[in-house]
Amino acid sequence: MIFEERLKKAIHEVPDFPEPGIIFKDITGIWHDPELVRECVQRLAAPFEKDNIHKIIGIESRGFLMGPMIAQALNCSFVTVRKKGKLPRETLHVNYELEYGNATIEAHQDAIVVGDRVLIHDDLLATGGTAAAAAQLTKLMGGQVVGFCFIIQLLHLGGAAKLQSFSPKIISLIDY
Ligand code: AMP
């Protein structure tokens, strides 16, 4: 079976979760197949091999699953970006709008230093609001956004357009 088919089979679609109208893409099945995990990591890392990435930002919480493995593959650091109130030391934060209401993400203030070349990773790109907020946070700390990588992109929500101004290098393994 080709890679895309194996990946699609491992991703379970759950209608009306967490609320009516949302088709939740459950990625946990990918980790039932270590070979598939390895291939995902390799395919997410490979486009950035020559980009001299210093740090990968993983976005809470599903960005923490593959993010550290991509960082290992690129031999760079991994940084956690979390929802408000979870990090124990001094932080910098960015507020952003959700479909209903708003949210805040933050990173330890020393997580990124001026000049860092940063790759932003999450499991899924939907409207792009979350990844754009992570990109804003990166810039606030003096980092340079080199690109974005996602396991899944939901094309109809147009999230990539929101990220273009930070970096046009936006990689996804499977698009719906
Ligand atoms: P957005 O900010 O709209 O791009 O949403 C992306 C964030 O929401 C990611 O952290 C995803 O994990 C999560 N997310 C949004 N839509 C879905 C979905 N249909 N299935 C699973 N996760 C989703």
Side-chain angles (χ1 to χ4, degrees):
M1 220 189 308
I2 62 164
F3 170 74
E4 282 80 5
E5 283 172 14
R6 279 164 56 218
L7 184 55
K8 203 160 203 170
K9 272 204 161 164
I11 296 168
H12 297 108
E13 298 192 84
V14 186
D16 299 322
F17 183 88
E19 45 190 89
I22 305 277
I23 303 173
F24 189 86
K25 301 282 192 291
D26 170 27
I27 59 163
T28 55
I30 298 172
W31 277 265
H32 293 196
D33 180 350
E35 185 58 41
L36 184 59
V37 174
R38 260 193 295 277
E39 194 157 354
C40 287
V41 170
Q42 190 262 324
R43 284 172 183 255
L44 288 167
F48 299 98
E49 257 162 18
K50 294 195 166 69
D51 281 328
N52 190 23
I53 303 292
H54 299 136
K55 284 174 185 159
I56 296 193
I57 279 185
I59 302 175
E60 184 175 358
S61 57
R62 288 181 295 275
F64 296 173
L65 292 169
M66 228 169 251
M69 302 174 85
I70 303 165
Q72 286 280 300
L74 292 175
N75 199 28
C76 68
S77 313
F78 177 73
V79 167
T80 53
V81 162
R82 303 206 61 181
K83 288 158 193 156
K84 193 176 166 58
K86 303 278 183 78
L87 289 167
R89 292 186 292 111
E90 206 168 317
T91 61
L92 285 171
H93 69 270
V94 165
N95 299 311
Y96 65 105
E97 299 210 343
L98 298 172
E99 200 175 348
Y100 304 102
N102 44 61
T104 303
I105 54 168
E106 55 188 12
H108 279 137
Q109 60 156 13
D110 56 1
I112 305 282
V113 297
V114 174
D116 272 347
R117 293 173 58 78
V118 176
L119 170 60
I120 294 172
H121 167 70
D122 201 356
D123 66 326
L124 183 145
L125 174 62
T127 66
T130 311
Q136 267 181 43
L137 191 55
T138 301
K139 289 183 75 171
L140 187 68
M141 299 171 103
Q144 182 191 341
V145 180
V146 176
F148 300 86
C149 66
F150 305 91
I151 302 170
I152 301 168
Q153 177 174 194
L154 304 183
L155 289 172
H156 64 285
L157 294 175
K162 207 175 272 178
L163 306 181
Q164 287 285 339
S165 63
F166 296 103
S167 167
K169 196 161 181 179
I170 303 164
I171 305 297
S172 55
L173 299 182
I174 192 165
D175 297 341
Y176 290 82

